[in-house]
Amino acid sequence: VQLMESGGGSVEAGGSLKLSCIISKFTVDTYWMAWFRQAPGKEREGVASINSDGETSFADSVKGRVTISQDNAKNTLYLQMNSLKPEDTAIYYCAARVWASWYHRPPTLDMSDYPLCCGQGTQVTVSS
């Protein structure tokens, strides 16, 4: 499995970006996928996650401003970010986890729950 993030860039506060993550060789029925970010000098933190049932989880810091979605036909995970703030500046990574077919739980935002991590990341810079 390989992950490749894209879509980052530099925007002004209040702007929007849509990040993409292509997950190659990922043809499973039950899984979690998530976006994480790491700002300079800070630990990596969970932003949003989604499972194969479409259930989602969001960090409090992004609720109401971010949506996570997936296109299974394209093996692509998306993160739509609106009303961006300077504190959203970070490198964004995607990650995934495969589960047994009977395992259906809401996805977490805990990095340790996602062993399939990550690509090179994509830089998001928000200026005030």
Side-chain angles (χ1 to χ4, degrees):
V1 175
Q2 292 183 318
L3 303 97
M4 184 170 66
E5 304 92 344
S6 64
S10 297
V11 298
E12 294 185 349
S16 298
L17 282 173
K18 186 173 185 178
L19 308 183
S20 300
C21 172
I22 297 175
I23 307 177
S24 63
K25 303 179 182 179
F26 193 70
T27 54
V28 296
D29 293 328
T30 309
Y31 56 83
W32 291 356
M33 293 193 288
W35 286 97
F36 295 87
R37 66 185 180 186
Q38 188 165 19
K42 295 187 177 181
E43 293 187 355
R44 198 169 294 189
E45 63 175 358
V47 178
S49 58
I50 189 168
N51 67 9
S52 46
D53 295 324
E55 296 176 289
T56 56
S57 298
F58 296 94
D60 289 342
S61 59
V62 301
K63 279 181 181 176
R65 301 189 295 120
V66 164
T67 58
I68 185 170
S69 61
Q70 54 193 337
D71 185 333
N72 293 332
K74 297 181 180 180
N75 273 10
T76 303
L77 178 71
Y78 300 102
L79 186 71
Q80 176 69 50
M81 302 190 294
N82 302 318
S83 303
L84 282 162
K85 304 176 180 180
E87 49 264 44
D88 294 318
T89 296
I91 299 175
Y92 285 69
Y93 302 90
C94 60
R97 176 163 189 161
V98 176
W99 291 105
S101 60
W102 50 265
Y103 192 89
H104 294 271
R105 296 285 173 86
T108 70
L109 294 173
D110 188 340
M111 189 77 205
S112 65
D113 289 335
Y114 294 84
L116 301 175
C117 174
C118 305
Q120 80 290 346
T122 187
Q123 175 72 49
V124 172
T125 303
V126 184
S127 57
S128 58

